Amino acid sequence: MTEQLERLNRLPLRDDLRGLTPYGAPQLEVPILLNVNENTHGLPEQVRKAIVASVEQAVAGLNRYPDREFTELRERLAGYLGHGLTPENIWAGNGSNEVLQHILQAFGGPGRTAMSFPPTYSMYPLLASGTGTRYVTGVRSDDFTLTPESAAEQVREQAPNIVFLCTPNNPTGTALSLEVVKAVYEAGEASSSIVVVDEAYGEFFHAGTPSALELLPGRERLIVSRTMSKAFALAGARVGYMAAAPEVTDALRLVRLPYHLSAITQATASAALEHADALLANVEAIKIQRDRIVAELQELGLKPAPSDANFVFFGGLEDPHALWEGLLEAGVLVRDVGIPGHLRVTAGTEPETSAFLARLRELLAAGIR
């Protein structure tokens, strides 16, 4: 046991936190970072200038608390999402993780249960633990898909208070049909389950893949969460949001910290939304590289999962860690998500994608698979 760990264990730490390590992917200094699904294109110049101007205006009032209701931001987010949503349907936080935490604080807690279907976003159990919510898991098919019948049966059996449905799913990139969402919502009727559809990568859906935003009318227990970290290239700004019935946002006001969104955060997000078209143009470029990765991995004899996200999850590997290390030696960092025989790579710019594929070919040719 290290000295630092010994000092930590001397503290009156909660028993369920003892022995745990902090969440986080490796942060290494390499030329090509394709491991945490960031938007590697960065912000267009016109958007950078707009954000700087907006923040400069906000700085003049930093001696005052920010708008507690982040009114302008909610108006812009409602306009961006469409689907007849109004500001009363919108909630936001410091990244979608804080939004999910608010949901667990309001509808979870001691004596209550949250459920999801691994492999999926690894923060769900951590957020549940942090709010004293019991976390239970369902199962997917061997190809990581989830059918309406299977999902509904498992929800009826577990009767959770909250269900997380990640679509496109992280780490697999696979999208859920709206039939799955509807089946889970109906199955949760008896237990009054809050159903959270996590669409963090929703802007990267293939054309024709529907959003659960379509299902919000008449479903007061349904929540659709999004983020500005991915499509809007604002991972460093920490802005997440959700759409739901107005009574859900009222519930979250009961648990949020006062003035939880800073004036700088609000100004940054509002300016970015004003230039959504310029930012979403990069989304189309990313989707091209994602589909290129899927096609070329198939040609190389690997097994990429169908992806509606800005990353590709692929299998058919005998020693994924050796392949991960071989890519890292060439300055390309991808993600080992801990699923045997698989790795995950973010779809970056055209040069970044080309560098990844070129090095991958070299490693496969050398017998590293």
Side-chain angles (χ1 to χ4, degrees), residues 69 72-73 94 121 138 185 220 234-235 246 285 298 300 314 316 359:
E69 290 299 310
E72 179 184 350
L73 178 56
N94 293 287
Y121 186 36
Y185 188 88
E220 72 279 357
L234 290 180
Q298 289 173 334
L300 291 170
F314 60 101
R359 179 57 174 169

Side-chain angles (χ1 to χ4, degrees), residues 114-178:
M115 178 182 185
S116 196
F117 298 86
T120 192
Y121 186 36
S122 56
M123 278 300 297
Y124 298 149
L126 294 178
L127 290 167
S129 173
T131 56
T133 308
R134 188 169 72 96
Y135 182 71
V136 298
T137 59
V139 296
R140 294 173 178 264
S141 301
D142 291 341
D143 62 356
F144 307 114
T145 58
L146 192 61
T147 66
E149 296 77 16
S150 172
E153 181 181 357
Q154 294 180 71
V155 168
R156 281 192 291 268
E157 180 181 344
Q158 296 281 6
N161 301 97
I162 302 170
V163 182
F164 291 109
L165 298 174
C166 190
T167 179
N169 186 46
N170 183 7
T172 63
T174 47
L176 294 175
S177 70
L178 294 189

Side-chain angles (χ1 to χ4, degrees), residues 101-109 112-114 133 160-162 192-194 196 220-221 223 242 247-252 255:
Q101 183 180 61
H102 286 163
I103 294 168
L104 282 157
Q105 288 174 313
F107 301 108
R112 296 194 172 195
T113 302
T133 308
N161 301 97
I162 302 170
S192 296
S193 303
I194 293 289
V196 183
E220 72 279 357
R221 293 180 289 105
I223 299 172
M242 48 145 272
E247 54 267 36
V248 173
T249 63
D250 285 341
L252 302 192
V255 298

Side-chain angles (χ1 to χ4, degrees), residues 314-355:
F314 60 101
L317 305 176
E318 297 171 4
D319 192 346
H321 190 69
L323 199 65
W324 181 88
E325 288 185 328
L327 288 163
L328 183 60
E329 289 172 0
V332 180
L333 180 61
V334 300
R335 187 72 176 267
D336 184 345
V337 293
I339 297 175
H342 291 79
L343 292 173
R344 191 192 70 195
V345 59
T346 305
T349 62
E350 190 281 331
E352 289 171 331
T353 300
S354 294

Side-chain angles (χ1 to χ4, degrees), residues 10-346:
R10 286 198 295 268
L11 294 175
L13 192 66
R14 282 170 28 191
D15 289 341
D16 61 332
L17 295 180
R18 292 191 182 277
L20 298 184
T21 55
Y23 170 85
Q27 290 186 305
L28 306 176
E29 292 295 328
V30 298
I32 301 176
L33 296 169
L34 301 177
N35 65 322
V36 289
N37 305 334
E38 295 160 320
N39 186 329
T40 66
H41 286 253
L43 294 170
E45 183 178 0
Q46 68 184 98
V47 182
R48 291 200 304 271
K49 289 181 177 179
I51 289 174
V52 169
S54 182
V55 168
E56 184 176 17
Q57 186 175 359
V59 166
L62 285 185
N63 58 310
R64 303 291 185 183
Y65 285 115
D67 175 10
R68 184 175 56 213
E69 290 299 310
F70 44 99
T71 307
E72 179 184 350
L73 178 56
R74 287 191 296 119
E75 290 172 351
R76 290 191 182 278
L77 286 168
Y80 167 69
L81 290 178
H83 291 83
L85 296 169
T86 69
E88 286 68 37
N89 298 111
I90 305 299
W91 187 252
N94 293 287
S96 59
N97 284 333
E98 185 179 52
V99 173
L100 299 179
Q101 183 180 61
H102 286 163
I103 294 168
L104 282 157
Q105 288 174 313
F107 301 108
R112 296 194 172 195
T113 302
M115 178 182 185
S116 196
F117 298 86
T120 192
Y121 186 36
S122 56
M123 278 300 297
Y124 298 149
L126 294 178
L127 290 167
S129 173
T131 56
T133 308
R134 188 169 72 96
Y135 182 71
V136 298
T137 59
V139 296
R140 294 173 178 264
S141 301
D142 291 341
D143 62 356
F144 307 114
T145 58
L146 192 61
T147 66
E149 296 77 16
S150 172
E153 181 181 357
Q154 294 180 71
V155 168
R156 281 192 291 268
E157 180 181 344
Q158 296 281 6
N161 301 97
I162 302 170
V163 182
F164 291 109
L165 298 174
C166 190
T167 179
N169 186 46
N170 183 7
T172 63
T174 47
L176 294 175
S177 70
L178 294 189
E179 296 307 313
V180 171
V181 179
K182 288 189 286 188
V184 166
Y185 188 88
E186 292 168 7
E189 184 74 39
S191 52
S192 296
S193 303
I194 293 289
V195 179
V196 183
V197 182
D198 183 351
E199 292 187 349
Y201 301 92
E203 284 88 352
F204 300 96
F205 278 138
H206 283 284
T209 302
S211 165
L213 291 168
E214 297 181 11
L215 302 180
L216 285 174
R219 293 181 173 88
E220 72 279 357
R221 293 180 289 105
L222 181 63
I223 299 172
V224 180
S225 69
R226 292 280 187 99
T227 181
M228 297 186 74
S229 293
K230 312 302 181 180
F232 282 83
L234 290 180
R238 312 308 302 129
V239 184
Y241 60 101
M242 48 145 272
E247 54 267 36
V248 173
T249 63
D250 285 341
L252 302 192
R253 286 181 174 87
L254 301 176
V255 298
R256 61 104 179 266
L257 293 174
Y259 311 106
H260 71 289
L261 278 182
S262 76
I264 300 301
T265 299
Q266 294 181 42
T268 299
S270 293
L273 286 162
E274 196 171 3
H275 294 80
D277 289 347
L279 288 162
L280 296 181
N282 282 339
V283 168
E284 295 307 311
I286 292 167
K287 289 164 70 173
I288 289 171
Q289 297 308 313
R290 172 201 63 199
D291 295 342
R292 175 190 171 196
I293 292 171
V294 170
E296 296 200 25
L297 291 183
Q298 289 173 334
E299 291 176 4
L300 291 170
L302 300 179
K303 299 177 181 178
S307 178
D308 273 87
N310 71 333
F311 57 84
V312 178
F313 176 76
F314 60 101
L317 305 176
E318 297 171 4
D319 192 346
H321 190 69
L323 199 65
W324 181 88
E325 288 185 328
L327 288 163
L328 183 60
E329 289 172 0
V332 180
L333 180 61
V334 300
R335 187 72 176 267
D336 184 345
V337 293
I339 297 175
H342 291 79
L343 292 173
R344 191 192 70 195
V345 59
T346 305

